[in-house]
Amino acid sequence: MANNKKQYRKNPGLNLIELEATTSSCSACGTENAIDWLGDMKYPHEAVVPNHGDGRWIPVSVPVKCSNCMLDYHHNIPIIDRDGTWGLYGDEAGRIVEFNGKRIHFFCLTLIGLHRSKHELIKSKLNKFKLDARPDLAPETWTHHFTEIWSDSGPERRFAFPGVAEKINYGQRFAKMIKDLSPELVCFNFSSAIVLGDARKDNASAIKTQKEDLFKQALLATLDTMRINKKGVIWHFDNIKDSTSGERTEGWALECFLGLQYTRLFTYLAAGIYIPEPKFMIPGSHYLLEVADFISFCIARDFLKISQGKAGEIPSARLGKIYCYRIMEDGQPDYAFEMGSFFLKRYFPVFK
Ligand SMILES: [Zn+2]
């Protein structure tokens, strides 16, 4: 296989509780063997296009070595029929905050999906918002990045908001649009917060690991959720910055995806369907990326405001309940379906 030489990055080392007790019966001697769900396989799980070019061979089993008779055999995984595929659209945000004398790097990744019955509605609503913000431009010709609106001020300002109050009002209305799209709009937010040290070099490496882990968790968790709901998934991301070089490159993210494909867990989560590698898009080139950008902004801003003991101007609670996931200090995941602002408050006791 040509792919076994591709560079890849290790999986994040988290397993599903349901799999921890799963054993596999040896086809020759009947011994019950543990399955190494997270260890690297020799080759990645990849759908192979057959020579005649029709369809794809999808891996539906994982290799196991019998601990008794040493036979190498295959353990079949449950196959789940899917009744559709969802596109998920993701964008990130980060902040460095000071809290109790510590410097904390907060990073989050929002992934959203919208039922197709609402796509036209959100497009027309978004265009109205964009016309409010830039009445001088056709809405399709520019990308809505809320950070640019938020930081726009002075005589050179480009957006139609004379002051902070008008921006807050605009942001609150934008948040309400998102909330009103529930339940057809599904929103996941993945986040983590790490304490930075004094050495710049160490921090750059820690932030890089933080982002990669979060990205991998986001892929696995959304793949699992979609599997349970009998959906396939195609991920779309705003081109994410490489934290070391600052260059916009998708290389590291694809290496993360490949790293996941080396695990038996990935084969289990794919459950018999083709899972294409994530697509990386021109920033803001899809309206759902513009919505994901806004949600990540609200969550990261909330984290900052909570650290200052203040109320946020556009609290993420206004977005309605979202699927919040975080990676805690000990590497364990924590998740809840609730208001983002409430979820974020739970970060702070450990930094005291
Ligand atoms: Zn055996």
Side-chain angles (χ1 to χ4, degrees), residues 99-276:
F99 184 74
N100 271 355
K102 297 184 175 81
R103 286 173 71 237
I104 298 168
H105 186 255
F106 175 80
F107 181 70
C108 76
L109 185 60
T110 301
L111 272 160
I112 59 168
L114 181 65
H115 191 270
R116 89 165 76 79
S117 64
K118 298 278 179 179
H119 280 206
E120 288 310 313
L121 178 71
I122 200 173
K123 262 198 259 182
S124 75
K125 285 192 175 206
L126 194 56
N127 280 351
K128 280 190 194 130
F129 273 101
K130 290 170 86 171
L131 273 175
D132 285 352
R134 288 294 302 254
D136 56 325
L137 287 179
E140 305 79 20
T141 59
W142 63 281
T143 298
H144 193 278
H145 284 303
F146 195 69
T147 310
E148 288 170 12
I149 295 176
W150 192 251
S151 58
D152 187 53
S153 65
E156 301 293 307
R157 67 184 174 82
R158 292 171 295 151
F159 295 96
F161 309 114
V164 178
E166 289 81 3
K167 289 182 201 170
I168 293 172
N169 177 273
Y170 177 85
Q172 289 181 349
R173 287 193 296 117
F174 201 102
K176 185 170 187 310
M177 169 191 74
I178 292 170
K179 184 181 180 184
D180 290 347
L181 282 163
S182 172
E184 284 85 0
L185 183 82
V186 178
C187 174
F188 303 89
N189 183 268
F190 298 86
S191 64
S192 78
I194 57 170
V195 177
L196 298 176
D198 298 327
R200 264 185 88 158
K201 203 177 143 208
D202 294 348
N203 286 337
S205 149
I207 290 172
K208 185 165 168 278
T209 305
Q210 179 192 22
K211 288 186 176 185
E212 288 178 4
D213 275 354
L214 207 63
F215 181 75
K216 288 183 269 196
Q217 298 283 357
L219 295 182
L220 289 178
T222 51
L223 181 58
D224 184 36
T225 304
M226 292 295 152
R227 176 185 68 96
I228 290 164
N229 288 288
K230 299 193 167 172
K231 306 285 182 235
V233 58
I234 302 176
W235 298 282
H236 306 76
F237 290 95
D238 233 42
N239 253 342
I240 298 172
K241 274 194 197 110
D242 185 313
S243 53
T244 42
S245 67
E247 253 177 67
R248 287 201 170 265
T249 162
E250 65 225 40
W252 69 268
L254 291 178
E255 284 169 21
C256 289
F257 181 72
L258 183 62
L260 296 178
Q261 288 184 314
Y262 272 93
T263 65
R264 292 162 182 82
L265 174 64
F266 187 90
T267 306
Y268 177 84
L269 293 177
I273 64 160
Y274 171 55
I275 305 295

Side-chain angles (χ1 to χ4, degrees), residues 26-31 33 66-71 73:
C26 173
S27 52
C29 74
T31 299
N33 292 296
C66 179
S67 59
N68 178 45
C69 72
M70 306 313 268
L71 176 75
Y73 67 98

Side-chain angles (χ1 to χ4, degrees), residues 91 144-147 288-298:
D91 197 16
H144 193 278
H145 284 303
F146 195 69
T147 310
L288 290 178
L289 290 176
E290 293 178 309
V291 175
D293 161 84
F294 180 83
I295 296 170
S296 281
F297 173 91
C298 289

